[in-house]
Amino acid sequence: MARKVNVGAMVAHDVFKLDTPDMQVVQIPLSQLIVNEHNFFTVEDVQELADHIALHGLFNPLTVCAAGEGKYRIVAGHRRRKALELLGRKDAPCIVKNYDGEDSEMVALIQSNLTSRELTYYEKMEAVIRLEKALRSMKERGVELPGRLRDHLAEQTNESASAIHRMQYIHKNLSPALLEALRREQIGESVADELAHSPEKVQAEFEQRLARGETFRAQDVKAARDKPTVSDGVVDAFLLRHIAAPYQAALYRVLHDSQSMAASRLIEEVKDALVFRGYMGRESEGVRYVLTISGLEVEKPFHGKLSWSQIVQRLRGMVESGKIAPPADEPAPEAQALSQLNEQMQQAVQELPQVDGNGYVCVTGMNPYGVCGSAQCCDQPYACCIACPKPCNGRCGYLPEAPQSAPVWHPYPDERPEDGQTVLTLSHSKYNRGNYAAYVYRAGGWYLPEFPDDGLMTVDVRWWSAELPPEVVK
């Protein structure tokens, strides 16, 4: 029948309570005390302990068990024995214990060190691993340990269940060389955790870096782990085939002529072009990937991660190199813009002003309210003052005073205005693919004329015209 046991009571400090009747303190020569072969705790650097014993005496006797042939194996007190030896003592006060198995002795050895000294992370981890093995052995021989084993480990080591799981994962997945580096405190807990979550190739790389005497941080390991393990060409081919293929036309519109824009400013438009709705993944025999709000993570046919900014950069490179191109029957965006502009100018010349419920419609899009006030008091046969050759006191306040023909348009960013120049622009946005507006160009950015110092706008300018003199733009 299984025996119930209170693990905490079994391994607690009662080995040091001298008033317990069945525990007798005896003096045993140091020569008869042998090191426990299962002890993995550091025994070095005992000078401070020796000084303390010399000044105050030894408070706690050693705990030992009979090892045969007049010898006693130390269960608790390896550092105390070494300190006494350093002080020239011949014997040590000991409590001789009998354990009902090697596993019980191991539990006592571990618990005595957990509660009596400050441990390194490696020692704590090794204590968890060996304590788990000992408790499993006890269960196999009939000792009942109610509840989850991880909870027992957490209770005995005074660590959280998540910390216990982390130690177990590191111990299981870290290479022997990196475990040794952790023991020597050449790497810390966070670095060890990142390495344990890395493939063998990455671990081998950092083993070599340690051998060269290099130091590194957890984020360095993460960056190396997330970097695709194949060439850029393979990564681009994967993006093109599995992510971009069905949406090349939309991606081309978004990414063409956008080299001057930061990739982060294009992320939302690229997501729209990909019809991304928060999750996109595929899992089959040869391919396994997931595209989420944080980026792309590929597991097959290679391992690696890309942020959305990196995805945009790579897709933009494929547009520039011609790997992503518009369909043959669809004109390039600049051709569409010119065609739209020409149609708009023809409409302004040939059609009467358009009327809706709020009055005449602004055909240029320059009026922020969308309503043309000039057309309401004009008898000329033009839909907009931009096409009218006659001077007039009622001309649109958003256009130059002098009459002009169709403006000369310059492609941007291939051709740029002068710094500080106010120009008419044709831009694309997430909601409007043909938006006309006047902006001030300064230091590579577009500013509102009303706020030329702090009115920086996020616009995708494709074309600009210098036909609007800065001094007359309102």
Side-chain angles (χ1 to χ4, degrees):
M1 178 180 295
R3 296 187 293 113
K4 290 187 177 181
V5 61
N6 185 326
V7 178
M10 181 183 72
V11 297
H13 261 320
D14 60 349
V15 295
F16 297 136
K17 296 178 181 178
L18 305 185
D19 57 346
T20 304
D22 59 347
M23 294 186 183
Q24 299 279 330
V25 178
V26 295
Q27 295 293 127
I28 299 179
L30 297 184
S31 60
Q32 295 179 231
L33 300 178
I34 61 176
V35 174
N36 195 313
E37 62 181 3
H38 299 298
N39 181 58
F40 56 90
F41 296 97
T42 303
V43 187
E44 308 301 325
D45 192 20
V46 297
Q47 184 62 56
E48 185 178 349
L49 176 60
D51 294 342
H52 187 277
I53 293 174
L55 184 62
H56 302 287
L58 182 63
F59 290 161
N60 295 322
L62 285 65
T63 303
V64 301
C65 62
E69 300 181 358
K71 302 291 184 179
Y72 294 88
R73 185 168 54 252
I74 301 173
V75 176
H78 288 84
R79 297 181 75 250
R80 279 169 283 168
R81 182 202 179 284
K82 189 169 183 177
L84 290 172
E85 188 176 42
L86 189 63
L87 292 171
R89 305 290 177 85
K90 300 299 182 183
D91 50 27
C94 301
I95 296 175
V96 181
K97 292 274 292 183
N98 293 319
Y99 297 97
D100 60 353
E102 189 177 289
D103 46 23
S104 299
E105 181 181 332
M106 175 59 73
V107 171
L109 185 152
I110 292 172
Q111 186 62 25
S112 66
N113 282 277
L114 287 174
T115 56
S116 63
R117 53 182 292 195
E118 185 176 350
L119 304 178
T120 66
Y121 184 80
Y122 177 86
E123 288 176 323
K124 289 181 182 179
M125 179 184 68
E126 193 67 27
V128 166
I129 300 304
R130 299 201 184 196
L131 186 58
E132 178 184 20
K133 182 179 179 181
L135 293 180
R136 289 188 184 280
S137 176
M138 293 171 64
K139 290 185 68 173
E140 289 175 359
R141 61 186 178 85
V143 176
E144 183 178 345
L145 300 176
R148 297 191 311 170
L149 189 57
R150 184 174 295 173
D151 293 335
H152 288 295
L153 295 173
E155 178 185 357
Q156 298 311 310
T157 59
N158 198 29
E159 297 283 349
S160 66
S162 60
I164 296 296
H165 175 72
R166 189 183 199 190
M167 292 177 184
Q168 292 170 325
Y169 190 90
I170 291 175
H171 190 274
K172 179 181 179 181
N173 294 282
L174 206 60
S175 71
L178 293 174
L179 280 173
E180 177 62 17
L182 179 61
R183 186 187 73 83
R184 293 176 177 272
E185 298 187 87
Q186 294 174 307
I187 60 175
E189 171 188 352
S190 58
V191 171
D193 185 54
E194 290 292 350
L195 285 168
H197 285 83
S198 303
E200 292 182 3
K201 183 176 181 180
V202 174
Q203 294 197 32
E205 173 188 340
F206 282 90
E207 287 177 14
Q208 295 173 2
R209 293 178 62 172
L210 278 172
R212 293 193 297 265
E214 295 182 28
T215 58
F216 42 83
R217 302 165 298 172
Q219 49 263 49
D220 298 327
V221 178
K222 187 176 187 302
R225 183 182 69 238
D226 292 346
K227 180 181 179 181
T229 56
V230 294
S231 67
D232 289 345
V234 172
V235 176
D236 286 351
F238 182 90
L239 281 175
L240 183 60
R241 178 178 179 183
H242 298 289
I243 305 298
Y247 314 103
Q248 290 193 55
L251 287 170
Y252 188 91
R253 295 190 201 99
V254 171
L255 295 169
H256 191 265
D257 288 339
S258 65
Q259 289 298 320
S260 62
M261 296 184 65
S264 58
R265 292 170 59 185
L266 291 170
I267 289 176
E268 292 306 316
E269 291 194 49
V270 168
K271 286 182 178 179
D272 286 345
L274 292 173
V275 196
F276 177 74
R277 297 293 181 263
Y279 177 87
M280 186 184 297
R282 178 180 174 186
E283 182 172 353
S284 63
E285 184 176 346
V287 178
R288 182 182 301 155
Y289 72 86
V290 59
L291 189 64
T292 66
I293 56 174
S294 59
L296 174 68
E297 181 172 0
V298 182
E299 295 185 12
K300 284 185 178 182
F302 58 87
H303 174 83
K305 292 183 180 180
L306 293 175
S307 67
W308 271 106
S309 290
Q310 291 172 318
I311 293 171
V312 172
Q313 289 281 36
R314 288 184 175 275
L315 292 176
R316 183 157 58 184
M318 284 187 266
V319 168
E320 293 300 312
S321 65
K323 294 179 181 177
I324 294 180
D329 58 348
E330 180 177 341
E334 55 266 32
Q336 291 179 333
L338 284 177
S339 174
Q340 179 183 8
L341 180 63
N342 289 334
E343 290 176 4
Q344 197 162 357
M345 292 302 300
Q346 293 174 11
Q347 175 188 356
V349 173
Q350 298 174 3
E351 297 182 7
L352 293 176
Q354 301 296 306
V355 181
D356 65 6
N358 297 317
Y360 291 98
V361 178
C362 174
V363 298
T364 67
M366 296 184 67
N367 188 309
Y369 305 102
V371 178
C372 177
S374 300
Q376 299 180 31
C377 55
C378 180
D379 58 0
Q380 294 298 317
Y382 305 107
C384 179
C385 295
I386 196 173
C388 182
K390 297 184 177 182
C392 175
N393 293 332
R395 288 184 64 83
C396 173
Y398 297 94
L399 296 174
E401 295 179 359
Q404 66 177 43
S405 59
V408 177
W409 290 91
H410 304 269
Y412 182 83
D414 295 336
E415 299 179 22
R416 300 170 185 264
E418 294 181 5
D419 202 75
Q421 186 177 9
T422 302
V423 297
L424 177 66
T425 66
L426 171 61
S427 62
H428 289 180
S429 69
K430 179 176 180 180
Y431 305 103
N432 190 336
R433 292 295 176 186
N435 185 42
Y436 297 88
Y439 290 113
V440 178
Y441 181 78
R442 195 178 79 246
W446 298 98
Y447 291 76
L448 289 173
E450 302 95 316
F451 307 101
D453 295 324
D454 55 5
L456 179 64
M457 301 296 292
T458 303
V459 290
D460 181 13
V461 173
R462 303 298 180 87
W463 298 86
W464 62 272
S465 170
E467 299 299 326
L468 298 183
E471 62 272 16
V472 297
V473 174
K474 297 181 180 180

